[in-house]
Amino acid sequence: MLVNMKTMLLEAQKGSWAVGSFSVSNMEMVLGVLKAAEETNSPVILQIAEVRLKQSPLELIGPLMVAAAKNAKVPVAVHFDHGLTKEKIKLALDLGFTSVMFDGSHLPLEENIAKTKETVALARKYGACVEAEIGCVGGSEDGSEDIAINCTSPAQAVKFAAETQVDALAIAIGNAHGNYKETPHLRFDILSEVKASVSVPLVLHGGTGILPEEFIKCRENGIKKINIATATFDSVENTVRNAYRDNIIKGYYDLQAAEVEGAYKNAMKHIEIFDCSNKAEII
Ligand code: 13P
């Protein structure tokens, strides 16, 4: 069933689990993620970022994501990730996405606040919720830019959350998009300070490559939404490559099945680490 992300994150705040937010770019990935969520009875978030629309136009993938969520046996939120333009954010809302992110992390604080407030005002008209980012997560969602990590200032997080009234706040604690060059070690000192000073559910971007024990520490300390993109794409690619190597793919439909399997395996692994199995009923 299609649900609002806020409902999930507020429930997750009552425990020590987090919701996986999986980036998808085709039907096979949607099917693989939902198969894992249904098998484990987990709430889940399907998302796509604005930079990915070159490959997967929003007018096509958006209705697919919303329809898949409505059909699912578990609660599914449909989220527009790293929204950059008002035009695409509005399109996502028109298509029925239940949340949108405005990413003004590269802007000066006051401008980020002002533009985020505009997004909140727009989303409220649709009954949708909003995520925004304070500080700057490293890398870029599609790997095209090598953006430096700028860790979140807890004082700025307090001001940002109070002035914008966002429903979810992405913070930078040493995390970056894409595959890390070295194993990342997150700044739990910053996470604790932010968690102690704001009540809004926190979001961790750049989930690919974070150690399981660090994910666990995150979900126990206020991170309630964890974004996974590269790991899904890598898992789909590797599963397809191995299936060809092992002569499992005899035709197109076997290729499609291998893609679904790749997205499913990756989602299963993360759902277990995030401890969101069997949380579907409480949403
Ligand atoms: P990864 O590609 O590192 O998993 O990051 C995903 C993400 O944060 C999407 O917004």
Side-chain angles (χ1 to χ4, degrees):
M1 80 207 76
L2 179 66
V3 302
N4 195 300
M5 183 176 93
K6 188 173 177 176
T7 321
M8 286 180 181
L9 302 188
L10 293 180
E11 273 310 319
Q13 262 189 334
K14 297 179 191 161
S16 60
W17 54 282
V19 187
S21 193
F22 296 94
S23 298
V24 291
S25 61
N26 63 14
M27 183 183 74
E28 289 71 21
M29 291 187 198
V30 170
L31 290 173
V33 170
L34 293 187
K35 182 174 174 224
E38 288 186 344
E39 249 177 60
T40 54
N41 203 22
S42 305
V44 76
I45 302 168
L46 295 175
Q47 64 178 18
I48 184 156
E50 185 158 342
V51 288
R52 300 277 181 198
L53 302 181
K54 294 186 286 293
Q55 292 87 8
S56 312
L58 192 55
E59 297 83 345
L60 304 181
I61 188 106
L64 167 73
M65 292 163 73
V66 172
K70 285 181 178 163
N71 261 331
K73 295 185 188 73
V74 290
V76 183
V78 178
H79 176 72
F80 190 53
D81 189 29
H82 290 286
L84 301 168
T85 63
K86 212 185 233 177
E87 179 212 342
K88 294 296 182 200
I89 289 175
K90 182 169 182 310
L91 177 57
L93 291 166
D94 284 335
L95 291 171
F97 280 47
T98 48
S99 56
V100 291
M101 177 186 187
F102 169 69
D103 181 0
S105 57
H106 51 289
L107 300 172
L109 179 65
E110 293 301 336
E111 206 179 331
N112 189 4
I113 290 176
K115 294 217 161 114
T116 301
K117 280 168 82 171
E118 283 175 24
T119 308
V120 171
L122 177 68
R124 294 290 181 259
K125 292 186 191 156
Y126 293 79
C129 60
V130 174
E131 174 185 333
E133 182 172 319
I134 182 78
C136 198
V137 172
S140 69
E141 213 283 333
D142 63 349
S144 63
E145 283 179 89
D146 199 11
I147 297 166
I149 300 170
N150 175 16
C151 283
T152 301
S153 137
Q156 285 193 358
V158 173
K159 177 179 162 70
F160 190 87
E163 292 189 21
T164 61
Q165 294 294 304
V166 284
D167 307 288
L169 185 60
I171 56 168
I173 52 171
N175 44 322
H177 296 104
N179 285 310
Y180 293 89
K181 291 183 186 92
E182 285 165 34
T183 306
H185 293 291
L186 300 176
R187 291 282 308 269
F188 289 101
D189 53 332
I190 298 177
L191 177 57
S192 311
E193 243 190 285
V194 175
K195 192 205 168 208
S197 16
V198 299
S199 57
V200 60
L202 304 175
V203 181
L204 186 77
H205 282 243
T208 300
I210 301 223
L211 295 171
E213 56 269 33
E214 299 220 343
F215 273 140
I216 292 168
K217 230 169 140 181
C218 280
R219 65 171 167 74
E220 287 172 343
N221 288 284
I223 297 284
K224 297 289 120 188
K225 169 177 182 271
I226 302 179
N227 286 10
I228 304 289
T230 309
T232 308
F233 302 134
D234 288 352
S235 178
V236 169
E237 234 194 305
N238 290 334
T239 307
V240 167
R241 191 177 295 117
N242 292 343
Y244 271 117
R245 184 200 57 204
D246 299 339
N247 224 7
I248 292 167
I249 298 182
K250 309 279 186 211
Y252 178 73
Y253 295 110
D254 298 329
L255 166 61
Q256 235 182 345
E259 282 190 56
V260 174
E261 175 70 13
Y264 163 79
K265 277 192 303 203
N266 176 67
M268 286 297 271
K269 178 177 121 189
H270 288 96
I271 283 171
E272 194 192 331
I273 300 169
F274 302 162
D275 192 30
C276 56
S277 296
N278 295 318
K279 305 293 191 299
E281 283 82 27
I282 58 175
I283 306 299

